[in-house]
Amino acid sequence: HKHLPLPTFVRDVNLETKREVSVRVHDRGPFVAGRSMDVSAGAAKKLRCYTKGTARVLVEAVELEG
């Protein structure tokens, strides 16, 4: 992600499938134009966007307890 502090944990929600995954943002890219975040293949499979390659997602920072 281009703007979140490193590291940040986020919850990504696929707006089409409503599937969600929590991931740790740990680098700044490289980025493809028009994308706010790239995720791992495993996260993409959980979001059900691996085959399609992209999806509209809600990115929500998660505050860790402790």
Side-chain angles (χ1 to χ4, degrees), residues 1-2 27-39 53-55:
H1 194 279
K2 296 177 184 180
D27 68 32
R28 296 276 181 227
F31 290 100
V32 175
R35 291 187 191 172
S36 63
M37 170 181 265
D38 289 333
V39 298
T54 61

Side-chain angles (χ1 to χ4, degrees), residues 12-14 16-23 37-55 57:
D12 289 336
V13 180
N14 182 327
E16 183 180 326
T17 66
K18 306 301 183 214
R19 304 274 300 185
E20 64 181 67
V21 65
S22 294
V23 298
M37 170 181 265
D38 289 333
V39 298
S40 68
K45 288 175 184 177
K46 288 181 180 180
L47 290 169
R48 300 237 171 106
C49 63
Y50 181 79
T51 304
K52 185 177 176 183
T54 61
V57 297

